[in-house]
Amino acid sequence: MYQESDYLLLSGLQHLCCCPRQCAFIHIEQVWSENFFTASGRVLHEKVHGGVGESRRCIRIERDLKISSSNLGVTGKTDAVEFYSDGTIIPIEYKHGKPKDDVSDEVQLCAQVMCLEEMLNVNISTGALFYFKIRKRVSVDISTMLRQKTIQVAKEFHSLVQEGKTPPAHYTKKCNSCSFMDSCFPESAGRHKSVETYIKRLLMNTTSSVEGEF
């Protein structure tokens, strides 16, 4: 169990799953960079968090609840949580894009579930992710495997922050949409990379972008 003074932001679990280097930029170096995707996501989340609670027949929807877990050592706020008259509780996390190839969104949602369970002394078996790009709500089973993965990521997150070192860059396709692309330089990093190769790739990408405008 963690002391409250050691709690980290729950969103860091999602950042770590996506990219340890990005996570370190945000949670160790305290740097934030914004692009179109992050700006759009921020506006959408502001709308969600700016909403008030509401009731729909047997459902009470609460927004912007402050949550925390001493077991995971994290704290944060929910987008929305549905409370049903039969005792069922379903947290909902809103995302700007579409479902990812990794489990980063599921881990973030599971951490919210585990926070609510610890605070309310309840069991929650299901959560949901709503993706604005496809306008679809995806149900997520909060399985034992997902819980174990979330606990593991939380431990790695605390270790990363405690060590205080930013991991080296490793280029993948998803780097192209990352807001830290211009400050991270992932294409110029790694083994068997050269400045010449990096410059050639950069020029090719620039040429393709210019040609696409005509």
Side-chain angles (χ1 to χ4, degrees):
M1 296 179 65
Y2 295 88
Q3 298 297 320
E4 190 171 347
S5 58
D6 296 324
Y7 286 2
L8 301 175
L9 289 178
L10 189 151
S11 59
L13 303 183
Q14 196 259 4
H15 297 149
L16 182 59
C17 288
C18 284
C19 173
R21 185 171 172 83
Q22 179 199 76
C23 181
F25 277 148
I26 299 171
H27 300 278
I28 295 177
E29 299 186 23
Q30 302 293 306
V31 175
W32 177 253
S33 181
E34 191 159 77
N35 62 9
F36 170 78
F37 300 105
T38 57
S40 299
R42 176 176 51 77
V43 170
L44 290 172
H45 270 83
E46 287 176 353
K47 290 181 178 180
V48 172
H49 285 277
V52 296
E54 57 182 298
S55 295
R56 301 176 185 173
R57 294 185 180 181
C58 61
I59 306 175
R60 175 66 183 174
I61 302 175
E62 295 290 350
R63 306 180 190 279
D64 210 23
L65 295 178
K66 185 175 181 179
I67 56 176
S68 62
S69 167
S70 60
N71 291 321
L72 296 177
V74 297
T75 184
K77 291 185 177 181
T78 64
D79 284 342
V81 182
E82 295 177 342
F83 294 88
Y84 291 78
S85 58
D86 65 357
T88 300
I89 300 175
I90 300 179
I92 308 168
E93 174 68 18
Y94 289 81
K95 295 298 180 182
H96 167 68
K98 59 183 180 179
K100 301 177 177 63
D101 294 332
D102 56 42
V103 295
S104 57
D105 292 343
E106 287 80 1
V107 164
Q108 182 180 9
L109 179 64
C110 183
Q112 293 180 14
V113 165
M114 295 175 72
C115 286
L116 289 168
E117 289 180 330
E118 186 177 324
M119 295 174 68
L120 302 176
N121 193 27
V122 296
N123 293 316
I124 301 174
S125 60
T126 305
L129 295 165
F130 185 89
Y131 292 95
F132 282 98
K133 187 169 184 177
I134 61 174
R135 304 298 299 179
K136 184 178 180 181
R137 174 169 165 164
V138 179
S139 180
V140 178
D141 176 33
I142 309 301
S143 64
T144 300
M145 184 177 297
L146 180 56
R147 290 172 185 272
Q148 292 174 344
K149 175 65 175 179
T150 302
I151 293 172
Q152 175 191 341
V153 173
K155 290 180 179 179
E156 292 174 355
F157 184 30
H158 278 275
S159 295
L160 177 70
V161 172
Q162 186 175 12
E163 186 177 7
K165 295 182 180 179
T166 300
H170 296 285
Y171 177 74
T172 63
K173 289 183 178 180
K174 65 182 179 181
C175 291
N176 297 324
S177 60
C178 179
S179 61
F180 289 100
M181 182 67 170
D182 292 337
S183 56
C184 180
F185 300 110
E187 288 187 292
S188 64
R191 297 178 61 187
H192 309 301
K193 295 290 184 70
S194 68
V195 173
E196 182 180 0
T197 301
Y198 169 67
I199 295 299
K200 285 182 178 180
R201 185 185 295 112
L202 186 63
L203 289 174
M204 288 178 61
N205 291 339
T206 303
T207 301
S208 298
S209 299
V210 172
E211 290 178 347
E213 295 178 358
F214 296 94

